[in-house]
Amino acid sequence: MSRGGNVARRIATPSGLSAPSGAITISTHRQLGLSINSLRICRSCLATLRNQRRASTATHSMITETSSQPIQSSITATSRRTFHQVKASVVLSRPPLLTRDLAPFEKAHFLYQRRLNERLVLPFTRYFYYPKGTPSDVEWKRKIRDRQTPARDIGIYNAYSEEGWNDELLVGAKESEPIEQVEALLRDAEVLGIEGEEGEMKKEIIEKPMPRLTEADRTEDVKSLNRALQRTLYLLVKNGEGRWGFPNSELVGKESLHMAAERILVQSAGINMNTWVVGNVPIGHQNVKYPQGLVDQEKGIEQLGEKLFFMKARIMAGQANLTDNKLGLEDFKWLAKDEIQKAVSPQYWNAVRNMLAER
């Protein structure tokens, strides 16, 4: 091996580590003042040395160009903290107070079952309930002559006659309507009596049940809870911007969603309501993204939107009162699910529609 090769073994590489035995680097030749062409090496080693020289030259030029360009500061953009405002919203509802109206098929089916029962049961033991010759027996004879059956709400039908098999209704018949059945029961409950010296016949006054439609239904009073008794009603409020939705507010301090819901009910609808917040877990949520973030330069934060968590609540008594509300609300309504769809925006409806009951 030549003198240059021995020296190359003893000189350290630029990284501080000794080069492997027989390794020849560009820096070694420069320190010895030798050129690559003056060494007697194979062609493959010569090509490797030249490639290393080109790579080191390109790296040095890139570092020089990068250091010459000014570094633009992006401290403002990277240090700004982004967040979503967390809010609680209360879905306050009044449950149905009446059962729903029956479908036409259900009405016909129930009447058929009652008439079938008249055919299958034993005959009515009349004298066990109405002793013979008593005023009650006379009243029974008068009523059975009109309806032809002991049952009082199945229309004119005799299960023990030759036409007993014909228990189906004709098209347009009203015997299966609940209103007609109630009227038939009221007529049957009337009792004729003789009063006064002249023997005047008077009927006993029977108290009628309340109608299923109320005055609020007829006047379409959407602020009354005494309407749509067959449906679930929800409290909707209108904020200062004119948008309708469920009452909502930001969380204060370290309060939970349950605590926030109770506070929102008092601050929005007043204290004249007996309410109950159901559970601690929300029944749904909505992500609201602002078109442009709200930047606070002093705090170095940017609000990208809102996250609303909906809490379920029930009202047992009372009424909403927005007179002294602290959330800037202007109006309120008690609406059913299909009515809510017409009052709110499409985006809001898509977020809350699966939380609401159909009836």
Side-chain angles (χ1 to χ4, degrees):
M1 179 64 71
S2 62
R3 178 177 176 275
N6 294 330
V7 176
R9 295 192 188 98
R10 295 194 299 268
I11 297 178
T13 59
S15 60
L17 299 177
S18 299
S21 177
I24 301 174
T25 61
I26 298 175
S27 60
T28 304
H29 293 91
R30 289 176 179 172
Q31 293 175 7
L32 297 176
L34 302 175
S35 63
I36 296 177
N37 296 330
S38 64
L39 299 176
R40 295 180 180 180
I41 57 177
C42 63
R43 293 182 179 180
S44 61
C45 294
L46 180 61
T48 302
L49 293 174
R50 287 176 176 173
N51 291 335
Q52 291 179 358
R53 185 175 184 180
R54 294 193 190 100
S56 61
T57 305
T59 304
H60 178 73
S61 62
M62 291 176 61
I63 295 175
T64 305
E65 293 177 1
T66 305
S67 59
S68 61
Q69 295 179 358
I71 300 176
Q72 297 180 355
S73 175
S74 57
I75 298 176
T76 305
T78 57
S79 62
R80 183 182 300 161
R81 183 171 61 88
T82 60
F83 73 102
H84 285 74
Q85 183 67 54
V86 178
K87 292 185 176 182
S89 184
V90 186
V91 184
L92 181 63
S93 62
R94 187 223 65 188
L97 303 180
L98 298 178
T99 57
R100 64 173 178 84
D101 291 333
L102 299 178
F105 176 79
E106 294 173 326
K107 298 175 185 177
H109 175 73
F110 291 151
L111 181 62
Y112 167 76
Q113 291 292 332
R114 287 197 294 270
R115 286 188 172 184
L116 179 62
N117 182 71
E118 287 297 310
R119 297 211 313 265
L120 298 179
V121 299
L122 295 175
F124 180 71
T125 54
R126 163 188 164 190
Y127 291 115
F128 179 81
Y129 296 98
Y130 306 110
K132 191 174 183 179
T134 60
S136 59
D137 181 49
V138 176
E139 185 69 17
W140 164 261
K141 291 179 180 178
R142 181 183 68 83
K143 294 178 179 179
I144 199 69
R145 190 182 306 115
D146 296 334
R147 62 174 184 252
Q148 300 180 8
T149 178
R152 299 170 295 174
D153 57 349
I154 62 173
I156 301 175
Y157 175 72
N158 189 353
Y160 303 104
S161 66
E162 296 181 355
E163 296 294 328
W165 59 271
N166 189 14
D167 55 3
E168 296 183 359
L169 292 177
L170 299 177
V171 177
K174 297 182 179 180
E175 285 85 350
S176 63
E177 295 294 333
I179 297 178
E180 294 295 328
Q181 295 173 4
V182 170
E183 292 295 334
L185 292 173
L186 292 175
R187 288 193 301 268
D188 188 81
E190 294 176 352
V191 178
L192 293 176
I194 301 176
E195 295 183 0
E197 298 178 357
E198 300 179 358
E200 297 179 356
M201 300 292 294
K202 291 186 177 181
K203 294 182 179 181
E204 182 182 354
I205 299 177
I206 304 299
E207 186 177 356
K208 296 183 178 182
M210 298 293 292
R212 295 175 69 89
L213 292 178
T214 63
E215 184 66 23
D217 288 318
R218 289 187 286 269
T219 59
E220 297 182 355
D221 184 7
V222 294
K223 293 187 177 182
S224 174
L225 282 169
N226 193 29
R227 62 177 287 267
L229 302 181
Q230 308 174 35
R231 306 287 304 278
T232 300
L233 297 182
Y234 298 92
L235 176 64
L236 251 69
V237 294
K238 184 171 71 171
N239 59 16
E241 300 176 356
R243 291 196 299 266
W244 288 93
F246 298 121
N248 67 84
S249 176
E250 303 174 359
L251 270 63
V252 178
K254 296 183 179 180
E255 66 179 358
S256 62
L257 291 175
H258 185 98
M259 297 170 58
E262 293 178 339
R263 174 181 56 81
I264 291 171
L265 288 176
V266 174
Q267 292 182 350
S268 61
I271 60 175
N272 296 325
M273 291 195 305
N274 185 8
T275 59
W276 170 48
V277 178
V278 184
N280 298 313
V281 181
I283 59 175
H285 76 283
Q286 180 191 15
N287 290 333
V288 180
K289 186 177 181 180
Y290 296 156
Q292 186 176 0
L294 304 179
V295 180
D296 190 340
Q297 297 292 350
E298 296 181 357
K299 298 181 180 180
I301 58 176
E302 180 181 3
Q303 182 178 347
L304 301 180
E306 299 176 356
K307 289 187 178 181
L308 273 72
F309 293 89
F310 297 91
M311 301 295 292
K312 182 179 180 180
R314 292 284 197 183
I315 179 173
M316 277 74 75
Q319 177 58 289
N321 185 5
L322 305 185
T323 304
D324 298 326
N325 80 88
K326 300 179 181 180
L327 302 180
L329 305 179
E330 298 179 352
D331 200 0
F332 75 94
K333 295 179 181 179
W334 291 98
L335 302 179
K337 180 177 180 178
D338 53 346
E339 298 171 335
I340 292 176
Q341 183 179 5
K342 302 175 183 178
V344 301
S345 63
Q347 295 80 6
Y348 194 84
W349 170 250
N350 290 333
V352 304
R353 61 180 179 179
N354 293 329
M355 311 175 197
L356 310 179
E358 293 294 337
R359 61 168 297 270

